[in-house]
Every structure is written in structure tokens, then in C-alpha cells.
Amino acid sequence: MTLHFFNARLIDPEAGTDTAGTLNVAGGRVVARDAPPEEGAQRVDCGGRCLAPGIVDLGVQVGEPGARHKESFRSAGQAAAAGGVTTFITRPDTNPAIDTPESLEFLRRRASDEAVVNIHHMAALTRGRAGREMAEIGFLMDAGAVAFTDADHVVRDTKVFSRCLTYARSLGALVVGHPQDPGLSAGAAVTSGKFASLRGLPGVSPMAERMAFDRDMALIEMTGARYHADQITCARTLPALERAKQNGLDVTAGVSIHHLTLNAFDVGDYRTFFRLDPPLRDEEDRLAVVEAVASGLIDILCSMHTPQDEESKRLPFEEAAPGAVGLETLLPAAMRLYHAGAMGLAQLWRAMALNPARRLGLDCGRLSVGAPADLVLFDPDAPFVLDRFALRSKSRNTPFDGARMEGKVLGTWVGGRQVFAAEER
């Protein structure tokens, strides 16, 4: 299909620009910018709204296999399309874990058959994510794994982890770490401090993140592996991240939208939708991390989509399962940062589309000629009140339920094919 998007506000994270213009699409790719429409092209009037590359969401949990009642590839794909996410990368924290080429091939077929967006997959770093024996990294790469991680199961054995990193380095594989010291973090539900004490909740010091990150950086320096920290949420970790980059280590870092827009006080009266891993941080940490994303020190902004059913959340706060859905709320939540003046749209899309695509070696996340026509049309100023029961995910555990938000997705295209169109009201 040939398309001509006009009257658009083009958000180009590669050039760092936010300008009026037009976009021509043919054969599933961008073929021209600011050019007349091709003969027979379908004209799409953007109405002065923003047209940007589709979001690339790194680190999404889908319940297949083992927890399809929480999220399926079909429901996750629908939620992603409605949220402007055209590509997402799944985590291997399933039951069983994705640690063999056969299980990965099953996942790839399911995703291809069921989802309307592009899906890539991370595989487990160790067998069963148990941290004792290295997974078949080479065979898993051949089967299509784009990165390797044990997700929130930190590899405690330093020798095992160093061997995994050394082998990954020999293959050029990307390892995704979860910088949380497992000893200090065990049993914790919130960040330690006065608020945690007043609520009587078990807390963890922000130093648990810093200590784990320091260990990982020492091993990266020793092995030379490619490494991505899935979430950096504390101010104390930022100097160590900056030093690692200055020292030439192949290191990137990410953070979830929840840690950029919420803080520890949002837990309020034991609201379990705010029970996350790592836990929400103090406001000073939140502001420091926002600045790190704006400056580019933290490279990637993601949803860290973690669906949990009602039974997992209707428990005492410290017993409730951690995590929140985010595929459909990532874009409007990110607009909070835009409207607060913390960063521009091009900066946000650098972190939400361009950087994750580059880190994984994907050719999406751009508006340049030749790039895939994975696009999102959205109105950054459209106000609404979020109703979690209107979400397309099977699980609806969002901390933004009932929140006043701005930013609505109007249309989503994957390879030039429209996969979502907002209902007109």
C-alpha cells in the first residue's frame, strides 16, 4: 500500500527535530519526506498531530507459556498497537523459562500467528533462570534471540556469571542485567526510609542497586561483554554508569516509565498496583533519573510491562506480586514528562524508539528514508481519565487507574499497514 501522510508534525529522534512535514510510504517502508504524493497514494490527513516512529518496548512480559490467563500474544499485541508500540521484545521469565531453541521457536511461531505488531524475544542466560548452568547461547542466537537475561533472577554465582559474559562476548551477544543485590532485596516491598517505617513495610536501600551495578561493571570490564542494565532507578547509581561509559565499556541502561513518573509516596495506603520491582524511589531519585534520560546518560525508556491477575494483587502489600502493565499507558505517561518541560518529544522518542532499536540491531525507530513504516500518530494534548477496565491487556494492574492523563494514540501502522485506529467521538 502507498500512503501519503500530510499536515503532520514529524517527530524525528534521529535528527532530534520536531517539525511540520509530510511522509510518503510504499512497500512497507518510508520512501520520501516532504515530497508530493505518489500517484494513487492513499492520503492520510494528520490534522497537525504528531507522527513519530513506532515505540520499541524493551522488556515486555507475556504469559505464554505458563500464564496465558495473564497475557497472551494476541492481547499484548492489541494493547501494544493501541499504545503506539510497533515492536516489543519479550522477557524469558515464563513457565518454563525460554532457555532452549525449541521453546524459543515455539514462542516465535505463536507471536507471528497471533500479534499485529513486531515481536522479538530475549532468551534466558542460564538454564531455568536458576543461575547455575549457562544456557545454549549460541544455538539460541541462531534461533533468533536478540539478547539474554535471567530477568529479575540475579545470577548470584560470580563465576557462573563471568563465564556467561565471556561466552556472550565471543558471540557478540547482548546480556541484560537486573542490578539489584539479591541478598539486600530479598523480601523488600518498598524503598527503605521514613515512609516505609511509618507504613510498617519491609524496605530495601537504594544501595542494593548500586552494589549490584558495581559488581556487574567489574565483570564487564573483565570480560568485555555487551551489557544493558534493565532499570537504573537511583541517583547513587548514575555516577557509576557515567564512569563505565567514559571508560569505554559497552554499557547501556534503561528505566521504566513508572519510575520516571511516580515516587515512593504514591504507594499511599498500601495500593498494590504500585508494588513494583525495583520499588518506587524517593522524589530526589526520580528527578535525577529524569535528568539522566534527558541528557542521554540513561539510554532507554520502556514500559517494563508485567501483567498480574487480580488474585496476585489482592493481597497484603508485601505479599502482592510486583509489576504493572504498561504497553498501552507508556505513551500517555511519557507525555507527563513532555508537559512538565523535562524533555521534548524528540528526546522521548530517542529513548523510546531509536535507542532500543539501535541497541538490538533493529532497523526501526526512525523516520529516515528506507526505514520500516512503523508509525504512530498521536495527539500529545488530548486529555482523558484512564479507566483500567478499558485496557486491552488481559491483566489491568496499572498504577494510573483513574489518573488524569494527556496524550492519545490516534493511529498505528506496522510495515505500512494500519493495525489500530482510535474511535472517533
mmCIF file of all heavy atoms in Angstrom, residues 315-364:
data_model
loop_
_atom_site.group_PDB
_atom_site.id
_atom_site.type_symbol
_atom_site.label_atom_id
_atom_site.label_comp_id
_atom_site.label_asym_id
_atom_site.label_seq_id
_atom_site.Cartn_x
_atom_site.Cartn_y
_atom_site.Cartn_z
ATOM 1 N N LEU A 315 -3.765 -8.838 47.763
ATOM 2 C CA LEU A 315 -3.046 -9.429 48.888
ATOM 3 C C LEU A 315 -2.442 -8.309 49.713
ATOM 4 O O LEU A 315 -2.378 -7.161 49.262
ATOM 5 C CB LEU A 315 -1.930 -10.352 48.366
ATOM 6 C CG LEU A 315 -2.359 -11.628 47.613
ATOM 7 C CD1 LEU A 315 -1.147 -12.255 46.940
ATOM 8 C CD2 LEU A 315 -3.019 -12.617 48.559
ATOM 9 N N PRO A 316 -2.010 -8.597 50.948
ATOM 10 C CA PRO A 316 -1.256 -7.580 51.685
ATOM 11 C C PRO A 316 -0.086 -7.076 50.847
ATOM 12 O O PRO A 316 0.508 -7.833 50.063
ATOM 13 C CB PRO A 316 -0.770 -8.345 52.925
ATOM 14 C CG PRO A 316 -1.783 -9.425 53.111
ATOM 15 C CD PRO A 316 -2.214 -9.826 51.726
ATOM 16 N N PHE A 317 0.255 -5.810 50.998
ATOM 17 C CA PHE A 317 1.194 -5.152 50.078
ATOM 18 C C PHE A 317 2.480 -5.950 49.898
ATOM 19 O O PHE A 317 2.930 -6.173 48.769
ATOM 20 C CB PHE A 317 1.521 -3.742 50.592
ATOM 21 C CG PHE A 317 2.271 -2.912 49.581
ATOM 22 C CD1 PHE A 317 1.592 -2.137 48.655
ATOM 23 C CD2 PHE A 317 3.652 -2.928 49.543
ATOM 24 C CE1 PHE A 317 2.283 -1.391 47.704
ATOM 25 C CE2 PHE A 317 4.347 -2.172 48.603
ATOM 26 C CZ PHE A 317 3.657 -1.409 47.679
ATOM 27 N N GLU A 318 3.099 -6.392 50.988
ATOM 28 C CA GLU A 318 4.386 -7.073 50.866
ATOM 29 C C GLU A 318 4.260 -8.452 50.235
ATOM 30 O O GLU A 318 5.252 -9.023 49.769
ATOM 31 C CB GLU A 318 5.082 -7.185 52.226
ATOM 32 C CG GLU A 318 4.301 -7.949 53.285
ATOM 33 C CD GLU A 318 3.428 -7.041 54.116
ATOM 34 O OE1 GLU A 318 2.920 -6.033 53.588
ATOM 35 O OE2 GLU A 318 3.264 -7.333 55.314
ATOM 36 N N GLU A 319 3.032 -9.022 50.192
ATOM 37 C CA GLU A 319 2.825 -10.336 49.592
ATOM 38 C C GLU A 319 2.340 -10.254 48.150
ATOM 39 O O GLU A 319 2.360 -11.252 47.431
ATOM 40 C CB GLU A 319 1.812 -11.134 50.419
ATOM 41 C CG GLU A 319 2.266 -11.424 51.838
ATOM 42 C CD GLU A 319 1.191 -12.146 52.645
ATOM 43 O OE1 GLU A 319 0.292 -12.756 52.017
ATOM 44 O OE2 GLU A 319 1.248 -12.092 53.883
ATOM 45 N N ALA A 320 1.900 -9.087 47.708
ATOM 46 C CA ALA A 320 1.382 -8.929 46.354
ATOM 47 C C ALA A 320 2.499 -9.094 45.329
ATOM 48 O O ALA A 320 3.657 -8.743 45.573
ATOM 49 C CB ALA A 320 0.729 -7.553 46.202
ATOM 50 N N ALA A 321 2.142 -9.645 44.173
ATOM 51 C CA ALA A 321 3.125 -9.818 43.103
ATOM 52 C C ALA A 321 3.534 -8.454 42.558
ATOM 53 O O ALA A 321 2.689 -7.594 42.336
ATOM 54 C CB ALA A 321 2.532 -10.669 41.991
ATOM 55 N N PRO A 322 4.835 -8.229 42.342
ATOM 56 C CA PRO A 322 5.270 -6.934 41.809
ATOM 57 C C PRO A 322 5.010 -6.821 40.320
ATOM 58 O O PRO A 322 4.935 -7.826 39.612
ATOM 59 C CB PRO A 322 6.773 -6.933 42.109
ATOM 60 C CG PRO A 322 7.154 -8.378 42.105
ATOM 61 C CD PRO A 322 5.964 -9.129 42.637
ATOM 62 N N GLY A 323 4.862 -5.578 39.854
ATOM 63 C CA GLY A 323 4.740 -5.336 38.418
ATOM 64 C C GLY A 323 3.473 -4.604 38.049
ATOM 65 O O GLY A 323 2.489 -4.587 38.799
ATOM 66 N N ALA A 324 3.513 -3.990 36.870
ATOM 67 C CA ALA A 324 2.371 -3.248 36.343
ATOM 68 C C ALA A 324 2.366 -3.375 34.827
ATOM 69 O O ALA A 324 3.418 -3.492 34.200
ATOM 70 C CB ALA A 324 2.443 -1.773 36.745
ATOM 71 N N VAL A 325 1.164 -3.354 34.245
ATOM 72 C CA VAL A 325 1.075 -3.327 32.784
ATOM 73 C C VAL A 325 1.461 -1.929 32.299
ATOM 74 O O VAL A 325 1.330 -0.949 33.022
ATOM 75 C CB VAL A 325 -0.339 -3.689 32.294
ATOM 76 C CG1 VAL A 325 -0.668 -5.132 32.622
ATOM 77 C CG2 VAL A 325 -1.390 -2.758 32.873
ATOM 78 N N GLY A 326 1.954 -1.855 31.060
ATOM 79 C CA GLY A 326 2.405 -0.553 30.585
ATOM 80 C C GLY A 326 2.404 -0.357 29.083
ATOM 81 O O GLY A 326 2.679 0.738 28.599
ATOM 82 N N LEU A 327 2.091 -1.398 28.310
ATOM 83 C CA LEU A 327 2.127 -1.252 26.857
ATOM 84 C C LEU A 327 1.210 -0.135 26.371
ATOM 85 O O LEU A 327 1.575 0.643 25.494
ATOM 86 C CB LEU A 327 1.725 -2.572 26.192
ATOM 87 C CG LEU A 327 2.792 -3.664 26.110
ATOM 88 C CD1 LEU A 327 2.170 -4.985 25.689
ATOM 89 C CD2 LEU A 327 3.906 -3.269 25.149
ATOM 90 N N GLU A 328 0.032 -0.051 26.964
ATOM 91 C CA GLU A 328 -0.963 0.903 26.499
ATOM 92 C C GLU A 328 -0.844 2.261 27.181
ATOM 93 O O GLU A 328 -1.380 3.260 26.696
ATOM 94 C CB GLU A 328 -2.362 0.328 26.727
ATOM 95 C CG GLU A 328 -3.403 0.815 25.750
ATOM 96 C CD GLU A 328 -4.673 -0.012 25.785
ATOM 97 O OE1 GLU A 328 -4.608 -1.206 26.173
ATOM 98 O OE2 GLU A 328 -5.734 0.528 25.419
ATOM 99 N N THR A 329 -0.124 2.302 28.304
ATOM 100 C CA THR A 329 -0.017 3.550 29.074
ATOM 101 C C THR A 329 1.341 4.226 28.919
ATOM 102 O O THR A 329 1.528 5.333 29.433
ATOM 103 C CB THR A 329 -0.278 3.284 30.567
ATOM 104 O OG1 THR A 329 0.656 2.302 31.045
ATOM 105 C CG2 THR A 329 -1.688 2.770 30.800
ATOM 106 N N LEU A 330 2.280 3.590 28.233
ATOM 107 C CA LEU A 330 3.629 4.152 28.111
ATOM 108 C C LEU A 330 3.611 5.534 27.476
ATOM 109 O O LEU A 330 4.213 6.482 27.988
ATOM 110 C CB LEU A 330 4.507 3.194 27.304
ATOM 111 C CG LEU A 330 5.920 3.669 26.955
ATOM 112 C CD1 LEU A 330 6.703 4.064 28.196
ATOM 113 C CD2 LEU A 330 6.665 2.581 26.177
ATOM 114 N N LEU A 331 2.904 5.676 26.352
ATOM 115 C CA LEU A 331 2.911 6.962 25.647
ATOM 116 C C LEU A 331 2.230 8.068 26.452
ATOM 117 O O LEU A 331 2.833 9.130 26.653
ATOM 118 C CB LEU A 331 2.288 6.809 24.260
ATOM 119 C CG LEU A 331 2.401 8.024 23.329
ATOM 120 C CD1 LEU A 331 2.504 7.588 21.873
ATOM 121 C CD2 LEU A 331 1.213 8.965 23.485
ATOM 122 N N PRO A 332 0.995 7.892 26.940
ATOM 123 C CA PRO A 332 0.394 8.986 27.714
ATOM 124 C C PRO A 332 1.149 9.295 28.997
ATOM 125 O O PRO A 332 1.215 10.458 29.412
ATOM 126 C CB PRO A 332 -1.033 8.492 27.994
ATOM 127 C CG PRO A 332 -1.012 7.032 27.754
ATOM 128 C CD PRO A 332 0.036 6.792 26.719
ATOM 129 N N ALA A 333 1.742 8.291 29.631
ATOM 130 C CA ALA A 333 2.533 8.561 30.832
ATOM 131 C C ALA A 333 3.782 9.367 30.476
ATOM 132 O O ALA A 333 4.189 10.270 31.215
ATOM 133 C CB ALA A 333 2.920 7.258 31.523
ATOM 134 N N ALA A 334 4.393 9.042 29.326
ATOM 135 C CA ALA A 334 5.573 9.799 28.891
ATOM 136 C C ALA A 334 5.223 11.251 28.597
ATOM 137 O O ALA A 334 6.073 12.147 28.731
ATOM 138 C CB ALA A 334 6.192 9.142 27.661
ATOM 139 N N MET A 335 3.976 11.513 28.206
ATOM 140 C CA MET A 335 3.561 12.893 27.949
ATOM 141 C C MET A 335 3.585 13.740 29.220
ATOM 142 O O MET A 335 3.654 14.969 29.148
ATOM 143 C CB MET A 335 2.163 12.918 27.337
ATOM 144 C CG MET A 335 2.077 12.378 25.903
ATOM 145 S SD MET A 335 3.196 13.198 24.725
ATOM 146 C CE MET A 335 4.564 12.036 24.717
ATOM 147 N N ARG A 336 3.543 13.101 30.386
ATOM 148 C CA ARG A 336 3.700 13.852 31.627
ATOM 149 C C ARG A 336 5.067 14.538 31.670
ATOM 150 O O ARG A 336 5.190 15.676 32.131
ATOM 151 C CB ARG A 336 3.556 12.918 32.833
ATOM 152 C CG ARG A 336 2.149 12.413 33.086
ATOM 153 C CD ARG A 336 2.075 11.591 34.356
ATOM 154 N NE ARG A 336 0.692 11.304 34.744
ATOM 155 C CZ ARG A 336 0.345 10.742 35.887
ATOM 156 N NH1 ARG A 336 1.266 10.406 36.768
ATOM 157 N NH2 ARG A 336 -0.933 10.509 36.160
ATOM 158 N N LEU A 337 6.083 13.855 31.192
ATOM 159 C CA LEU A 337 7.431 14.428 31.165
ATOM 160 C C LEU A 337 7.506 15.562 30.147
ATOM 161 O O LEU A 337 8.159 16.583 30.385
ATOM 162 C CB LEU A 337 8.448 13.341 30.827
ATOM 163 C CG LEU A 337 8.476 12.137 31.777
ATOM 164 C CD1 LEU A 337 9.350 11.030 31.213
ATOM 165 C CD2 LEU A 337 8.964 12.549 33.158
ATOM 166 N N TYR A 338 6.831 15.379 29.018
ATOM 167 C CA TYR A 338 6.813 16.414 27.985
ATOM 168 C C TYR A 338 6.095 17.663 28.484
ATOM 169 O O TYR A 338 6.608 18.782 28.362
ATOM 170 C CB TYR A 338 6.146 15.862 26.728
ATOM 171 C CG TYR A 338 5.760 16.894 25.703
ATOM 172 C CD1 TYR A 338 6.733 17.616 25.017
ATOM 173 C CD2 TYR A 338 4.424 17.143 25.411
ATOM 174 C CE1 TYR A 338 6.376 18.575 24.068
ATOM 175 C CE2 TYR A 338 4.060 18.081 24.467
ATOM 176 C CZ TYR A 338 5.047 18.799 23.800
ATOM 177 O OH TYR A 338 4.687 19.743 22.868
ATOM 178 N N HIS A 339 4.931 17.502 29.069
ATOM 179 C CA HIS A 339 4.154 18.660 29.528
ATOM 180 C C HIS A 339 4.795 19.327 30.748
ATOM 181 O O HIS A 339 4.563 20.515 30.988
ATOM 182 C CB HIS A 339 2.723 18.240 29.831
ATOM 183 C CG HIS A 339 1.922 17.911 28.610
ATOM 184 N ND1 HIS A 339 1.603 18.840 27.654
ATOM 185 C CD2 HIS A 339 1.395 16.729 28.176
ATOM 186 C CE1 HIS A 339 0.909 18.265 26.681
ATOM 187 N NE2 HIS A 339 0.770 16.983 26.978
ATOM 188 N N ALA A 340 5.598 18.584 31.489
ATOM 189 C CA ALA A 340 6.310 19.177 32.626
ATOM 190 C C ALA A 340 7.566 19.928 32.179
ATOM 191 O O ALA A 340 8.222 20.580 33.002
ATOM 192 C CB ALA A 340 6.696 18.094 33.633
ATOM 193 N N GLY A 341 7.899 19.833 30.893
ATOM 194 C CA GLY A 341 9.081 20.520 30.379
ATOM 195 C C GLY A 341 10.378 19.792 30.649
ATOM 196 O O GLY A 341 11.463 20.358 30.479
ATOM 197 N N ALA A 342 10.291 18.524 31.067
ATOM 198 C CA ALA A 342 11.504 17.767 31.399
ATOM 199 C C ALA A 342 12.283 17.384 30.145
ATOM 200 O O ALA A 342 13.517 17.303 30.178
ATOM 201 C CB ALA A 342 11.149 16.517 32.198
ATOM 202 N N MET A 343 11.587 17.135 29.057
ATOM 203 C CA MET A 343 12.254 16.809 27.794
ATOM 204 C C MET A 343 11.270 16.943 26.645
ATOM 205 O O MET A 343 10.058 16.907 26.842
ATOM 206 C CB MET A 343 12.874 15.404 27.837
ATOM 207 C CG MET A 343 11.912 14.278 28.067
ATOM 208 S SD MET A 343 12.775 12.697 28.390
ATOM 209 C CE MET A 343 13.065 12.844 30.157
ATOM 210 N N GLY A 344 11.821 17.142 25.440
ATOM 211 C CA GLY A 344 10.995 17.299 24.260
ATOM 212 C C GLY A 344 10.587 15.968 23.676
ATOM 213 O O GLY A 344 11.073 14.906 24.083
ATOM 214 N N LEU A 345 9.714 16.012 22.694
ATOM 215 C CA LEU A 345 9.223 14.782 22.078
ATOM 216 C C LEU A 345 10.338 14.025 21.357
ATOM 217 O O LEU A 345 10.386 12.793 21.391
ATOM 218 C CB LEU A 345 8.084 15.104 21.114
ATOM 219 C CG LEU A 345 6.788 15.618 21.767
ATOM 220 C CD1 LEU A 345 5.762 15.979 20.689
ATOM 221 C CD2 LEU A 345 6.211 14.594 22.729
ATOM 222 N N ALA A 346 11.233 14.756 20.699
ATOM 223 C CA ALA A 346 12.335 14.074 20.009
ATOM 224 C C ALA A 346 13.240 13.357 21.011
ATOM 225 O O ALA A 346 13.738 12.257 20.730
ATOM 226 C CB ALA A 346 13.138 15.085 19.187
ATOM 227 N N GLN A 347 13.459 13.964 22.186
ATOM 228 C CA GLN A 347 14.252 13.305 23.230
ATOM 229 C C GLN A 347 13.548 12.051 23.733
ATOM 230 O O GLN A 347 14.175 11.006 23.936
ATOM 231 C CB GLN A 347 14.484 14.259 24.398
ATOM 232 C CG GLN A 347 15.472 15.377 24.138
ATOM 233 C CD GLN A 347 15.552 16.330 25.315
ATOM 234 O OE1 GLN A 347 14.583 17.027 25.625
ATOM 235 N NE2 GLN A 347 16.681 16.359 25.986
ATOM 236 N N LEU A 348 12.244 12.156 23.952
ATOM 237 C CA LEU A 348 11.494 10.999 24.414
ATOM 238 C C LEU A 348 11.556 9.868 23.403
ATOM 239 O O LEU A 348 11.768 8.697 23.765
ATOM 240 C CB LEU A 348 10.037 11.388 24.681
ATOM 241 C CG LEU A 348 9.744 12.088 26.011
ATOM 242 C CD1 LEU A 348 8.330 12.636 26.025
ATOM 243 C CD2 LEU A 348 9.945 11.116 27.173
ATOM 244 N N TRP A 349 11.382 10.188 22.114
ATOM 245 C CA TRP A 349 11.386 9.134 21.093
ATOM 246 C C TRP A 349 12.779 8.592 20.836
ATOM 247 O O TRP A 349 12.924 7.461 20.382
ATOM 248 C CB TRP A 349 10.703 9.630 19.822
ATOM 249 C CG TRP A 349 9.344 9.020 19.716
ATOM 250 C CD1 TRP A 349 8.976 7.967 18.933
ATOM 251 C CD2 TRP A 349 8.168 9.393 20.448
ATOM 252 N NE1 TRP A 349 7.657 7.665 19.147
ATOM 253 C CE2 TRP A 349 7.133 8.528 20.055
ATOM 254 C CE3 TRP A 349 7.904 10.384 21.392
ATOM 255 C CZ2 TRP A 349 5.849 8.613 20.577
ATOM 256 C CZ3 TRP A 349 6.621 10.477 21.916
ATOM 257 C CH2 TRP A 349 5.607 9.607 21.516
ATOM 258 N N ARG A 350 13.794 9.367 21.154
ATOM 259 C CA ARG A 350 15.157 8.814 21.118
ATOM 260 C C ARG A 350 15.266 7.675 22.118
ATOM 261 O O ARG A 350 15.840 6.617 21.822
ATOM 262 C CB ARG A 350 16.172 9.914 21.468
ATOM 263 C CG ARG A 350 17.626 9.432 21.506
ATOM 264 C CD ARG A 350 18.515 10.502 22.149
ATOM 265 N NE ARG A 350 18.174 10.699 23.556
ATOM 266 C CZ ARG A 350 18.596 11.726 24.290
ATOM 267 N NH1 ARG A 350 19.349 12.655 23.747
ATOM 268 N NH2 ARG A 350 18.254 11.812 25.564
ATOM 269 N N ALA A 351 14.695 7.862 23.316
ATOM 270 C CA ALA A 351 14.779 6.852 24.360
ATOM 271 C C ALA A 351 13.778 5.718 24.183
ATOM 272 O O ALA A 351 14.039 4.585 24.583
ATOM 273 C CB ALA A 351 14.578 7.508 25.734
ATOM 274 N N MET A 352 12.626 6.012 23.564
ATOM 275 C CA MET A 352 11.572 5.001 23.455
ATOM 276 C C MET A 352 11.587 4.241 22.137
ATOM 277 O O MET A 352 10.939 3.200 22.037
ATOM 278 C CB MET A 352 10.193 5.662 23.638
ATOM 279 C CG MET A 352 9.938 6.205 25.021
ATOM 280 S SD MET A 352 8.187 6.547 25.361
ATOM 281 C CE MET A 352 7.826 7.793 24.120
ATOM 282 N N ALA A 353 12.291 4.736 21.126
ATOM 283 C CA ALA A 353 12.263 4.084 19.816
ATOM 284 C C ALA A 353 13.652 3.892 19.217
ATOM 285 O O ALA A 353 14.071 2.773 18.917
ATOM 286 C CB ALA A 353 11.382 4.888 18.856
ATOM 287 N N LEU A 354 14.378 4.996 19.042
ATOM 288 C CA LEU A 354 15.654 4.919 18.338
ATOM 289 C C LEU A 354 16.706 4.125 19.107
ATOM 290 O O LEU A 354 17.327 3.205 18.558
ATOM 291 C CB LEU A 354 16.172 6.331 18.052
ATOM 292 C CG LEU A 354 17.510 6.417 17.311
ATOM 293 C CD1 LEU A 354 17.400 5.813 15.919
ATOM 294 C CD2 LEU A 354 17.986 7.870 17.225
ATOM 295 N N ASN A 355 16.923 4.461 20.379
ATOM 296 C CA ASN A 355 17.985 3.800 21.150
ATOM 297 C C ASN A 355 17.751 2.308 21.363
ATOM 298 O O ASN A 355 18.685 1.508 21.200
ATOM 299 C CB ASN A 355 18.187 4.511 22.483
ATOM 300 C CG ASN A 355 18.919 5.830 22.330
ATOM 301 O OD1 ASN A 355 19.461 6.120 21.264
ATOM 302 N ND2 ASN A 355 18.951 6.634 23.372
ATOM 303 N N PRO A 356 16.529 1.878 21.744
ATOM 304 C CA PRO A 356 16.347 0.428 21.875
ATOM 305 C C PRO A 356 16.535 -0.312 20.558
ATOM 306 O O PRO A 356 17.083 -1.413 20.541
ATOM 307 C CB PRO A 356 14.922 0.286 22.426
ATOM 308 C CG PRO A 356 14.269 1.606 22.220
ATOM 309 C CD PRO A 356 15.353 2.622 22.213
ATOM 310 N N ALA A 357 16.085 0.285 19.451
ATOM 311 C CA ALA A 357 16.273 -0.359 18.151
ATOM 312 C C ALA A 357 17.755 -0.479 17.823
ATOM 313 O O ALA A 357 18.223 -1.541 17.368
ATOM 314 C CB ALA A 357 15.549 0.430 17.066
ATOM 315 N N ARG A 358 18.501 0.580 18.057
ATOM 316 C CA ARG A 358 19.943 0.536 17.785
ATOM 317 C C ARG A 358 20.649 -0.492 18.657
ATOM 318 O O ARG A 358 21.524 -1.230 18.185
ATOM 319 C CB ARG A 358 20.550 1.926 18.032
ATOM 320 C CG ARG A 358 20.328 2.917 16.900
ATOM 321 C CD ARG A 358 20.938 4.262 17.252
ATOM 322 N NE ARG A 358 20.972 5.159 16.094
ATOM 323 C CZ ARG A 358 21.328 6.439 16.155
ATOM 324 N NH1 ARG A 358 21.665 6.969 17.327
ATOM 325 N NH2 ARG A 358 21.331 7.183 15.060
ATOM 326 N N ARG A 359 20.290 -0.552 19.928
ATOM 327 C CA ARG A 359 20.970 -1.460 20.844
ATOM 328 C C ARG A 359 20.758 -2.910 20.436
ATOM 329 O O ARG A 359 21.633 -3.762 20.632
ATOM 330 C CB ARG A 359 20.468 -1.230 22.273
ATOM 331 C CG ARG A 359 21.285 -1.953 23.360
ATOM 332 C CD ARG A 359 22.739 -1.587 23.264
ATOM 333 N NE ARG A 359 23.511 -1.994 24.425
ATOM 334 C CZ ARG A 359 24.814 -2.234 24.395
ATOM 335 N NH1 ARG A 359 25.482 -2.117 23.244
ATOM 336 N NH2 ARG A 359 25.456 -2.566 25.489
ATOM 337 N N LEU A 360 19.607 -3.196 19.858
ATOM 338 C CA LEU A 360 19.285 -4.563 19.470
ATOM 339 C C LEU A 360 19.596 -4.853 18.005
ATOM 340 O O LEU A 360 19.350 -5.954 17.520
ATOM 341 C CB LEU A 360 17.805 -4.836 19.742
ATOM 342 C CG LEU A 360 17.403 -4.786 21.217
ATOM 343 C CD1 LEU A 360 15.895 -4.793 21.352
ATOM 344 C CD2 LEU A 360 18.021 -5.944 21.992
ATOM 345 N N GLY A 361 20.112 -3.850 17.287
ATOM 346 C CA GLY A 361 20.456 -4.054 15.888
ATOM 347 C C GLY A 361 19.262 -4.115 14.965
ATOM 348 O O GLY A 361 19.340 -4.709 13.880
ATOM 349 N N LEU A 362 18.160 -3.467 15.352
ATOM 350 C CA LEU A 362 16.959 -3.420 14.513
ATOM 351 C C LEU A 362 16.975 -2.156 13.671
ATOM 352 O O LEU A 362 17.561 -1.147 14.068
ATOM 353 C CB LEU A 362 15.709 -3.459 15.397
ATOM 354 C CG LEU A 362 15.628 -4.615 16.407
ATOM 355 C CD1 LEU A 362 14.378 -4.475 17.265
ATOM 356 C CD2 LEU A 362 15.662 -5.960 15.700
ATOM 357 N N ASP A 363 16.299 -2.179 12.528
ATOM 358 C CA ASP A 363 16.333 -1.023 11.626
ATOM 359 C C ASP A 363 15.123 -0.110 11.805
ATOM 360 O O ASP A 363 14.898 0.791 10.999
ATOM 361 C CB ASP A 363 16.458 -1.463 10.169
ATOM 362 C CG ASP A 363 15.266 -2.299 9.699
ATOM 363 O OD1 ASP A 363 14.435 -2.677 10.547
ATOM 364 O OD2 ASP A 363 15.183 -2.576 8.488
ATOM 365 N N CYS A 364 14.324 -0.315 12.848
ATOM 366 C CA CYS A 364 13.146 0.516 13.078
ATOM 367 C C CYS A 364 13.498 1.683 14.003
ATOM 368 O O CYS A 364 14.668 1.955 14.256
ATOM 369 C CB CYS A 364 12.016 -0.331 13.673
ATOM 370 S SG CYS A 364 12.501 -1.302 15.109
#
